[in-house]
Amino acid sequence: MAQKTKYNMVKEKITDWITSGKVKPGEKIHSENELVKMFGVSRHTVRQAVGDLVHEGWLYREQGAGTFCSFRQEENEQTVLPAQTNGKNIGVITTYISDYIFPSIIRGIESYLTAQGYSLTFACTDNDIEKEKQCLQTMLSRNIDGLIVEPTKSSIYNPNIHYYLELEQHNIPYLMINQFYPQLAPPHIVVNDEHGGYIATEHLIKLGHRKIIGLFKTDDLQGVNRMQGFIRAFREHGITFFPDMVISYSTEDMNEKVNDRLNKFYSSDDRPTAIVCYNDQLALMVLDVLRNHQISVPEDVSVVGYDDSFLAETFEVKLTSVAHPKMEMGIEAAKRIVSAVEGKDNNPQSIIYEPELVVRNSTAPIKSKDIVISQE
Amino acid sequence: MAQKTKYNMVKEKITDWITSGKVKPGEKIHSENELVKMFGVSRHTVRQAVGDLVHEGWLYREQGAGTFCSFRQEENEQTVLPAQTNGKNIGVITTYISDYIFPSIIRGIESYLTAQGYSLTFACTDNDIEKEKQCLQTMLSRNIDGLIVEPTKSSIYNPNIHYYLELEQHNIPYLMINQFYPQLAPPHIVVNDEHGGYIATEHLIKLGHRKIIGLFKTDDLQGVNRMQGFIRAFREHGITFFPDMVISYSTEDMNEKVNDRLNKFYSSDDRPTAIVCYNDQLALMVLDVLRNHQISVPEDVSVVGYDDSFLAETFEVKLTSVAHPKMEMGIEAAKRIVSAVEGKDNNPQSIIYEPELVVRNSTAPIKSKDIVISQE
DNA sequence: TTTAAAAACACGTACGTACATAAGTAAAAA
DNA sequence: TTTTTACTTATGTACGTACGTGTTTTTAAA
């Protein structure tokens, strides 16, 4: 993960010496000038590398004598924060708690943390940047040892970046779930939403549908990615894509916008034969609108949801939906933050889950009368 | 102490700004180039000074934006754990988080606590007594200042009572939500579930139904109370009540028991004309079973749910359901625990919300052919 | 008015030099 | 042999330059 700057490469080499046992605690490492010659970099660069390692506790310097390997690398992380004897505290910040999908993630996190004797401090932002700021401040002023965040409005610029930088300064590990801010490039656990949008759309294309519309929430990256997968499916299958086939909305204008556009579509003759939805909850809304127009699913129109929530199973039409491991993601997030907090894994790796399509009754092959002459 | 090197002098000046309050947490300090001019030193020197202060936790840098004052300077001088001056910590223990109904209560609690600068430590028990014990232990070992609990399996004897007694010993206020252990008689915020069960049943009786069955989860007091209301409605309207009209189940055997009994009913000739459900989620299950038997709602059978959740509104048949103020309960719980923690109200009063019936499309007057000769 | 490109700005990396200060070493003096 | 001195080597401080990368503001175009 560390960028491949020269000083980072020097740092890596030196830490390698230590971890491999080539240099033992208390032993002198090569002098700055020697390192300059060895790595072919300037003394400034060597000093930056060594200086960093001194701060991180790997080495210590003695003027006039040399630079030496530290005796206690174990205590690297413990130098800043005082030891909290019994069980640590992990912060969790999410956007919505009422959304039917988050409870399973939070439940995953909670179950693992409690089992480990950790406690969980919780806050949610309602997808409001001002509230996110407040939550981060509260978390920082508490003695949290790690943080799991679902970023707020991740598709637009986020002004709260410096709070995350400060977490790094204090050596408090954090990871992002569901989405992440590209500017920070933190460890993250996400679903490959682009692929999810793609397979949902591809499924419909393979059933013969051409007039497919997509409904996506675009104030978070999840929605934007699903939309991109939607569009890619058109391109890769050589199907003409018209911009008005995508309806994007934000949390605030969801109700009006989706209703309006959908009603417009189904009042005209240019009716789509399939609809890809941002999530299952939206799919329910769509089904409700369709019912009001006396349009039956899947006979007249196919509908695909996303999340494979319990809603997909309990509805009158069982929803075809894109599935991803919700609870596992929570557990995995908890596991990684715990091992990061315990210093077992200073640079947790990211995971990208590949979603899968669960086909149910809401999608069907296109009816012969609806087939349009291919325009390619 | 510090040698009078140039970079030490720059460091001193900058820390002065912070300690004197000239620069507040989160505020930007002068840029490196400005500092160069101000102190008449080179940029290298400024960078060394600022870099040191970043490592010491006074400042943090943001590439492209500037250098900012840190939010937690407390750690610089701190020797012991800071006495959590700002905002207290409230514990919340619930049974299930995935149940569609709890998120709104938790959201109510969270929104109020965050607005008050409080933080929320969360745990859930999965309705398991062993886990409840663990959660209570964790909460006690943390420095929580108040506790909101939804009791686990409140209808059977609870072996964790002494943890609550210990809370009282430590003068940590707590209150129970949704249910409460009668043995403790703590302040509680609940819905009058007995009345809820009563009005749901009364509604059906007034529509002419006599063969009414009730499905209730009886491992918590909520379900037991709703069932008692169900039975009282029969008695008060002078209608004979047969014990087999009630199907009681527990969390574990819900799926089999409900399905079995319901299938048995609808395979025989002794079909009920109305069903009272423990909650909306169960109502969905019931609707699914009915669909499989080609029984239509509300024409053939009326169904009443409980909770008035979003499920009631988005289904193909809009559910008649018993409504209670979910989010308000959370907010009210948070308000009361906060005033208890702040000593404004040492003995918070209990609230009992009276539920109301929301009539939608899933209930209808009994069809004439189904009317049975009254037996009174 | 909105949007997009360009410029200005701020921190990040990397090179160079010079001299200071502390520690160890070897040669010279006591 | 011991002590002093000078030299060498090591890190420490401090100056300079240049260009990279990301953010913010300004400007110009649509």
mmCIF file of all heavy atoms in Angstrom, chain A residues 135-171:
data_model
loop_
_atom_site.group_PDB
_atom_site.id
_atom_site.type_symbol
_atom_site.label_atom_id
_atom_site.label_comp_id
_atom_site.label_asym_id
_atom_site.label_seq_id
_atom_site.Cartn_x
_atom_site.Cartn_y
_atom_site.Cartn_z
ATOM 1 N N CYS A 135 -20.198 13.411 14.357
ATOM 2 C CA CYS A 135 -19.931 12.041 14.792
ATOM 3 C C CYS A 135 -18.435 11.799 14.920
ATOM 4 O O CYS A 135 -17.967 11.197 15.893
ATOM 5 C CB CYS A 135 -20.517 11.046 13.794
ATOM 6 S SG CYS A 135 -22.314 11.017 13.783
ATOM 7 N N LEU A 136 -17.682 12.271 13.937
ATOM 8 C CA LEU A 136 -16.241 12.054 13.973
ATOM 9 C C LEU A 136 -15.612 12.767 15.161
ATOM 10 O O LEU A 136 -14.714 12.236 15.812
ATOM 11 C CB LEU A 136 -15.616 12.529 12.664
ATOM 12 C CG LEU A 136 -15.856 11.601 11.474
ATOM 13 C CD1 LEU A 136 -15.541 12.309 10.165
ATOM 14 C CD2 LEU A 136 -15.011 10.346 11.603
ATOM 15 N N GLN A 137 -16.098 13.965 15.442
ATOM 16 C CA GLN A 137 -15.569 14.691 16.600
ATOM 17 C C GLN A 137 -15.846 13.924 17.889
ATOM 18 O O GLN A 137 -14.973 13.767 18.733
ATOM 19 C CB GLN A 137 -16.204 16.082 16.673
ATOM 20 C CG GLN A 137 -15.428 17.114 15.873
ATOM 21 C CD GLN A 137 -16.068 18.485 15.927
ATOM 22 O OE1 GLN A 137 -17.230 18.622 16.283
ATOM 23 N NE2 GLN A 137 -15.301 19.482 15.565
ATOM 24 N N THR A 138 -17.095 13.457 18.008
ATOM 25 C CA THR A 138 -17.449 12.688 19.201
ATOM 26 C C THR A 138 -16.545 11.465 19.326
ATOM 27 O O THR A 138 -16.014 11.185 20.399
ATOM 28 C CB THR A 138 -18.917 12.235 19.128
ATOM 29 O OG1 THR A 138 -19.722 13.378 18.829
ATOM 30 C CG2 THR A 138 -19.358 11.619 20.429
ATOM 31 N N MET A 139 -16.348 10.766 18.209
ATOM 32 C CA MET A 139 -15.522 9.560 18.241
ATOM 33 C C MET A 139 -14.093 9.899 18.646
ATOM 34 O O MET A 139 -13.475 9.190 19.434
ATOM 35 C CB MET A 139 -15.517 8.898 16.862
ATOM 36 C CG MET A 139 -16.836 8.271 16.484
ATOM 37 S SD MET A 139 -17.170 6.751 17.392
ATOM 38 C CE MET A 139 -18.812 6.346 16.832
ATOM 39 N N LEU A 140 -13.578 10.986 18.090
ATOM 40 C CA LEU A 140 -12.198 11.367 18.396
ATOM 41 C C LEU A 140 -12.048 11.754 19.860
ATOM 42 O O LEU A 140 -11.020 11.476 20.474
ATOM 43 C CB LEU A 140 -11.754 12.529 17.499
ATOM 44 C CG LEU A 140 -11.247 12.117 16.127
ATOM 45 C CD1 LEU A 140 -11.204 13.305 15.187
ATOM 46 C CD2 LEU A 140 -9.859 11.511 16.242
ATOM 47 N N SER A 141 -13.075 12.398 20.402
ATOM 48 C CA SER A 141 -12.942 12.840 21.789
ATOM 49 C C SER A 141 -13.144 11.668 22.749
ATOM 50 O O SER A 141 -12.728 11.726 23.890
ATOM 51 C CB SER A 141 -13.937 13.957 22.083
ATOM 52 O OG SER A 141 -15.245 13.442 22.116
ATOM 53 N N ARG A 142 -13.800 10.613 22.269
ATOM 54 C CA ARG A 142 -13.862 9.390 23.063
ATOM 55 C C ARG A 142 -12.547 8.628 22.851
ATOM 56 O O ARG A 142 -11.796 8.918 21.925
ATOM 57 C CB ARG A 142 -15.021 8.506 22.594
ATOM 58 C CG ARG A 142 -16.373 9.048 22.882
ATOM 59 C CD ARG A 142 -16.738 8.820 24.349
ATOM 60 N NE ARG A 142 -17.974 9.485 24.657
ATOM 61 C CZ ARG A 142 -18.132 10.793 24.729
ATOM 62 N NH1 ARG A 142 -17.123 11.598 24.485
ATOM 63 N NH2 ARG A 142 -19.297 11.322 25.026
ATOM 64 N N ASN A 143 -12.338 7.645 23.677
ATOM 65 C CA ASN A 143 -11.117 6.882 23.477
ATOM 66 C C ASN A 143 -11.365 5.641 22.640
ATOM 67 O O ASN A 143 -11.258 4.522 23.118
ATOM 68 C CB ASN A 143 -10.504 6.496 24.815
ATOM 69 C CG ASN A 143 -9.874 7.686 25.481
ATOM 70 O OD1 ASN A 143 -9.253 8.508 24.799
ATOM 71 N ND2 ASN A 143 -10.048 7.798 26.769
ATOM 72 N N ILE A 144 -11.744 5.842 21.405
ATOM 73 C CA ILE A 144 -11.944 4.675 20.578
ATOM 74 C C ILE A 144 -10.588 4.166 20.104
ATOM 75 O O ILE A 144 -9.630 4.914 19.934
ATOM 76 C CB ILE A 144 -12.853 4.951 19.363
ATOM 77 C CG1 ILE A 144 -12.273 6.095 18.522
ATOM 78 C CG2 ILE A 144 -14.265 5.226 19.787
ATOM 79 C CD1 ILE A 144 -12.820 6.097 17.130
ATOM 80 N N ASP A 145 -10.509 2.860 19.912
ATOM 81 C CA ASP A 145 -9.245 2.244 19.510
ATOM 82 C C ASP A 145 -9.243 1.880 18.034
ATOM 83 O O ASP A 145 -8.214 1.513 17.480
ATOM 84 C CB ASP A 145 -9.008 0.995 20.351
ATOM 85 C CG ASP A 145 -9.032 1.318 21.823
ATOM 86 O OD1 ASP A 145 -8.080 1.963 22.260
ATOM 87 O OD2 ASP A 145 -10.001 0.975 22.509
ATOM 88 N N GLY A 146 -10.396 1.953 17.427
ATOM 89 C CA GLY A 146 -10.504 1.653 16.009
ATOM 90 C C GLY A 146 -11.834 2.150 15.518
ATOM 91 O O GLY A 146 -12.729 2.417 16.317
ATOM 92 N N LEU A 147 -11.963 2.296 14.215
ATOM 93 C CA LEU A 147 -13.191 2.879 13.690
ATOM 94 C C LEU A 147 -13.589 2.189 12.386
ATOM 95 O O LEU A 147 -12.758 1.959 11.512
ATOM 96 C CB LEU A 147 -12.991 4.382 13.460
ATOM 97 C CG LEU A 147 -14.186 5.196 12.987
ATOM 98 C CD1 LEU A 147 -15.296 5.198 14.020
ATOM 99 C CD2 LEU A 147 -13.771 6.620 12.670
ATOM 100 N N ILE A 148 -14.855 1.854 12.295
ATOM 101 C CA ILE A 148 -15.412 1.342 11.048
ATOM 102 C C ILE A 148 -16.405 2.384 10.554
ATOM 103 O O ILE A 148 -17.298 2.781 11.296
ATOM 104 C CB ILE A 148 -16.138 -0.001 11.277
ATOM 105 C CG1 ILE A 148 -15.145 -1.064 11.769
ATOM 106 C CG2 ILE A 148 -16.816 -0.467 9.999
ATOM 107 C CD1 ILE A 148 -15.808 -2.372 12.187
ATOM 108 N N VAL A 149 -16.210 2.825 9.350
ATOM 109 C CA VAL A 149 -17.046 3.915 8.835
ATOM 110 C C VAL A 149 -17.717 3.511 7.537
ATOM 111 O O VAL A 149 -17.077 2.939 6.659
ATOM 112 C CB VAL A 149 -16.207 5.171 8.526
ATOM 113 C CG1 VAL A 149 -17.124 6.355 8.231
ATOM 114 C CG2 VAL A 149 -15.277 5.493 9.650
ATOM 115 N N GLU A 150 -18.969 3.823 7.431
ATOM 116 C CA GLU A 150 -19.586 3.834 6.115
ATOM 117 C C GLU A 150 -19.653 5.292 5.720
ATOM 118 O O GLU A 150 -20.350 6.081 6.362
ATOM 119 C CB GLU A 150 -20.988 3.232 6.156
ATOM 120 C CG GLU A 150 -21.574 3.179 4.770
ATOM 121 C CD GLU A 150 -23.071 3.047 4.786
ATOM 122 O OE1 GLU A 150 -23.710 3.510 5.739
ATOM 123 O OE2 GLU A 150 -23.583 2.499 3.829
ATOM 124 N N PRO A 151 -18.922 5.673 4.675
ATOM 125 C CA PRO A 151 -18.791 7.104 4.385
ATOM 126 C C PRO A 151 -20.106 7.730 3.961
ATOM 127 O O PRO A 151 -20.959 7.085 3.352
ATOM 128 C CB PRO A 151 -17.797 7.135 3.222
ATOM 129 C CG PRO A 151 -17.194 5.799 3.172
ATOM 130 C CD PRO A 151 -18.179 4.844 3.751
ATOM 131 N N THR A 152 -20.231 8.975 4.290
ATOM 132 C CA THR A 152 -21.407 9.760 3.964
ATOM 133 C C THR A 152 -21.238 10.414 2.595
ATOM 134 O O THR A 152 -20.198 10.989 2.315
ATOM 135 C CB THR A 152 -21.613 10.835 5.051
ATOM 136 O OG1 THR A 152 -22.027 10.194 6.246
ATOM 137 C CG2 THR A 152 -22.650 11.844 4.634
ATOM 138 N N LYS A 153 -22.255 10.326 1.780
ATOM 139 C CA LYS A 153 -22.245 10.951 0.442
ATOM 140 C C LYS A 153 -20.895 10.813 -0.241
ATOM 141 O O LYS A 153 -20.226 11.795 -0.555
ATOM 142 C CB LYS A 153 -22.640 12.423 0.532
ATOM 143 C CG LYS A 153 -24.065 12.596 1.005
ATOM 144 C CD LYS A 153 -24.690 13.879 0.520
ATOM 145 C CE LYS A 153 -26.161 13.890 0.931
ATOM 146 N NZ LYS A 153 -26.823 15.157 0.678
ATOM 147 N N SER A 154 -20.494 9.580 -0.461
ATOM 148 C CA SER A 154 -19.126 9.333 -0.900
ATOM 149 C C SER A 154 -18.879 9.744 -2.340
ATOM 150 O O SER A 154 -17.747 9.767 -2.781
ATOM 151 C CB SER A 154 -18.805 7.847 -0.740
ATOM 152 O OG SER A 154 -19.811 7.076 -1.345
ATOM 153 N N SER A 155 -19.915 10.068 -3.099
ATOM 154 C CA SER A 155 -19.645 10.392 -4.491
ATOM 155 C C SER A 155 -19.300 11.862 -4.676
ATOM 156 O O SER A 155 -18.750 12.255 -5.684
ATOM 157 C CB SER A 155 -20.833 10.019 -5.375
ATOM 158 O OG SER A 155 -21.890 10.927 -5.180
ATOM 159 N N ILE A 156 -19.636 12.685 -3.709
ATOM 160 C CA ILE A 156 -19.270 14.090 -3.842
ATOM 161 C C ILE A 156 -18.100 14.390 -2.926
ATOM 162 O O ILE A 156 -17.748 13.600 -2.071
ATOM 163 C CB ILE A 156 -20.461 15.015 -3.520
ATOM 164 C CG1 ILE A 156 -20.943 14.813 -2.082
ATOM 165 C CG2 ILE A 156 -21.597 14.752 -4.492
ATOM 166 C CD1 ILE A 156 -21.997 15.799 -1.669
ATOM 167 N N TYR A 157 -17.506 15.517 -3.106
ATOM 168 C CA TYR A 157 -16.336 15.870 -2.325
ATOM 169 C C TYR A 157 -16.682 15.922 -0.844
ATOM 170 O O TYR A 157 -17.704 16.455 -0.455
ATOM 171 C CB TYR A 157 -15.783 17.220 -2.777
ATOM 172 C CG TYR A 157 -14.741 17.749 -1.839
ATOM 173 C CD1 TYR A 157 -13.469 17.165 -1.809
ATOM 174 C CD2 TYR A 157 -15.027 18.786 -0.964
ATOM 175 C CE1 TYR A 157 -12.524 17.616 -0.928
ATOM 176 C CE2 TYR A 157 -14.071 19.242 -0.077
ATOM 177 C CZ TYR A 157 -12.829 18.656 -0.062
ATOM 178 O OH TYR A 157 -11.888 19.088 0.814
ATOM 179 N N ASN A 158 -15.831 15.351 -0.032
ATOM 180 C CA ASN A 158 -16.108 15.319 1.401
ATOM 181 C C ASN A 158 -15.151 16.228 2.178
ATOM 182 O O ASN A 158 -13.935 16.071 2.105
ATOM 183 C CB ASN A 158 -15.982 13.898 1.933
ATOM 184 C CG ASN A 158 -16.422 13.819 3.373
ATOM 185 O OD1 ASN A 158 -15.795 14.402 4.252
ATOM 186 N ND2 ASN A 158 -17.508 13.131 3.610
ATOM 187 N N PRO A 159 -15.710 17.183 2.911
ATOM 188 C CA PRO A 159 -14.867 18.139 3.623
ATOM 189 C C PRO A 159 -14.353 17.630 4.965
ATOM 190 O O PRO A 159 -13.669 18.362 5.657
ATOM 191 C CB PRO A 159 -15.816 19.331 3.826
ATOM 192 C CG PRO A 159 -17.162 18.703 3.907
ATOM 193 C CD PRO A 159 -17.129 17.455 3.070
ATOM 194 N N ASN A 160 -14.687 16.394 5.300
ATOM 195 C CA ASN A 160 -14.271 15.893 6.619
ATOM 196 C C ASN A 160 -13.018 15.030 6.565
ATOM 197 O O ASN A 160 -12.708 14.321 7.516
ATOM 198 C CB ASN A 160 -15.410 15.087 7.253
ATOM 199 C CG ASN A 160 -16.636 15.944 7.506
ATOM 200 O OD1 ASN A 160 -16.497 17.134 7.810
ATOM 201 N ND2 ASN A 160 -17.811 15.381 7.367
ATOM 202 N N ILE A 161 -12.305 15.130 5.434
ATOM 203 C CA ILE A 161 -11.128 14.295 5.252
ATOM 204 C C ILE A 161 -10.125 14.443 6.397
ATOM 205 O O ILE A 161 -9.538 13.469 6.850
ATOM 206 C CB ILE A 161 -10.422 14.646 3.928
ATOM 207 C CG1 ILE A 161 -11.360 14.403 2.759
ATOM 208 C CG2 ILE A 161 -9.149 13.847 3.760
ATOM 209 C CD1 ILE A 161 -11.633 12.977 2.453
ATOM 210 N N HIS A 162 -9.961 15.650 6.866
ATOM 211 C CA HIS A 162 -8.892 15.850 7.851
ATOM 212 C C HIS A 162 -9.143 15.109 9.146
ATOM 213 O O HIS A 162 -8.214 14.789 9.873
ATOM 214 C CB HIS A 162 -8.667 17.338 8.102
ATOM 215 C CG HIS A 162 -9.893 18.064 8.531
ATOM 216 N ND1 HIS A 162 -10.713 18.704 7.639
ATOM 217 C CD2 HIS A 162 -10.447 18.235 9.734
ATOM 218 C CE1 HIS A 162 -11.713 19.269 8.288
ATOM 219 N NE2 HIS A 162 -11.581 18.988 9.572
ATOM 220 N N TYR A 163 -10.401 14.778 9.433
ATOM 221 C CA TYR A 163 -10.646 13.975 10.625
ATOM 222 C C TYR A 163 -10.026 12.586 10.462
ATOM 223 O O TYR A 163 -9.491 12.013 11.398
ATOM 224 C CB TYR A 163 -12.147 13.834 10.877
ATOM 225 C CG TYR A 163 -12.782 15.090 11.396
ATOM 226 C CD1 TYR A 163 -13.458 15.944 10.538
ATOM 227 C CD2 TYR A 163 -12.679 15.430 12.733
ATOM 228 C CE1 TYR A 163 -14.041 17.112 11.007
ATOM 229 C CE2 TYR A 163 -13.250 16.587 13.215
ATOM 230 C CZ TYR A 163 -13.937 17.419 12.340
ATOM 231 O OH TYR A 163 -14.494 18.563 12.815
ATOM 232 N N TYR A 164 -10.117 12.077 9.245
ATOM 233 C CA TYR A 164 -9.545 10.760 8.992
ATOM 234 C C TYR A 164 -8.021 10.830 9.037
ATOM 235 O O TYR A 164 -7.359 9.921 9.537
ATOM 236 C CB TYR A 164 -10.032 10.224 7.654
ATOM 237 C CG TYR A 164 -11.518 9.971 7.644
ATOM 238 C CD1 TYR A 164 -12.387 10.852 7.027
ATOM 239 C CD2 TYR A 164 -12.056 8.869 8.295
ATOM 240 C CE1 TYR A 164 -13.757 10.632 7.041
ATOM 241 C CE2 TYR A 164 -13.414 8.642 8.327
ATOM 242 C CZ TYR A 164 -14.267 9.528 7.690
ATOM 243 O OH TYR A 164 -15.615 9.310 7.725
ATOM 244 N N LEU A 165 -7.477 11.931 8.513
ATOM 245 C CA LEU A 165 -6.022 12.089 8.572
ATOM 246 C C LEU A 165 -5.564 12.135 10.019
ATOM 247 O O LEU A 165 -4.513 11.610 10.373
ATOM 248 C CB LEU A 165 -5.609 13.366 7.839
ATOM 249 C CG LEU A 165 -5.903 13.354 6.336
ATOM 250 C CD1 LEU A 165 -5.579 14.698 5.707
ATOM 251 C CD2 LEU A 165 -5.095 12.256 5.654
ATOM 252 N N GLU A 166 -6.377 12.771 10.838
ATOM 253 C CA GLU A 166 -6.002 12.849 12.247
ATOM 254 C C GLU A 166 -6.029 11.475 12.903
ATOM 255 O O GLU A 166 -5.181 11.171 13.745
ATOM 256 C CB GLU A 166 -6.930 13.806 12.980
ATOM 257 C CG GLU A 166 -6.422 14.098 14.375
ATOM 258 C CD GLU A 166 -7.100 15.270 15.026
ATOM 259 O OE1 GLU A 166 -7.798 16.025 14.331
ATOM 260 O OE2 GLU A 166 -6.909 15.411 16.241
ATOM 261 N N LEU A 167 -6.972 10.655 12.512
ATOM 262 C CA LEU A 167 -7.000 9.286 13.019
ATOM 263 C C LEU A 167 -5.672 8.607 12.701
ATOM 264 O O LEU A 167 -5.087 7.932 13.542
ATOM 265 C CB LEU A 167 -8.144 8.510 12.370
ATOM 266 C CG LEU A 167 -9.549 8.781 12.889
ATOM 267 C CD1 LEU A 167 -10.577 8.110 11.998
ATOM 268 C CD2 LEU A 167 -9.696 8.278 14.318
ATOM 269 N N GLU A 168 -5.196 8.826 11.472
ATOM 270 C CA GLU A 168 -3.937 8.213 11.075
ATOM 271 C C GLU A 168 -2.791 8.717 11.948
ATOM 272 O O GLU A 168 -1.933 7.964 12.369
ATOM 273 C CB GLU A 168 -3.649 8.513 9.599
ATOM 274 C CG GLU A 168 -4.603 7.781 8.670
ATOM 275 C CD GLU A 168 -4.360 8.123 7.208
ATOM 276 O OE1 GLU A 168 -3.302 8.691 6.884
ATOM 277 O OE2 GLU A 168 -5.252 7.820 6.388
ATOM 278 N N GLN A 169 -2.823 10.027 12.202
ATOM 279 C CA GLN A 169 -1.778 10.625 13.030
ATOM 280 C C GLN A 169 -1.740 9.979 14.412
ATOM 281 O O GLN A 169 -0.680 9.800 14.992
ATOM 282 C CB GLN A 169 -2.084 12.116 13.202
ATOM 283 C CG GLN A 169 -0.882 12.976 12.962
ATOM 284 C CD GLN A 169 -0.767 13.280 11.483
ATOM 285 O OE1 GLN A 169 -1.532 14.053 10.955
ATOM 286 N NE2 GLN A 169 0.169 12.659 10.810
ATOM 287 N N HIS A 170 -2.897 9.652 14.919
ATOM 288 C CA HIS A 170 -2.957 9.071 16.259
ATOM 289 C C HIS A 170 -2.850 7.556 16.229
ATOM 290 O O HIS A 170 -3.107 6.900 17.234
ATOM 291 C CB HIS A 170 -4.252 9.482 16.943
ATOM 292 C CG HIS A 170 -4.293 10.925 17.306
ATOM 293 N ND1 HIS A 170 -3.554 11.460 18.326
ATOM 294 C CD2 HIS A 170 -4.950 11.960 16.762
ATOM 295 C CE1 HIS A 170 -3.777 12.755 18.407
ATOM 296 N NE2 HIS A 170 -4.626 13.096 17.458
ATOM 297 N N ASN A 171 -2.547 7.030 15.051
ATOM 298 C CA ASN A 171 -2.395 5.583 14.917
ATOM 299 C C ASN A 171 -3.653 4.821 15.298
ATOM 300 O O ASN A 171 -3.585 3.725 15.842
ATOM 301 C CB ASN A 171 -1.218 5.091 15.758
ATOM 302 C CG ASN A 171 0.085 5.312 15.036
ATOM 303 O OD1 ASN A 171 0.162 5.128 13.818
ATOM 304 N ND2 ASN A 171 1.089 5.730 15.759
#
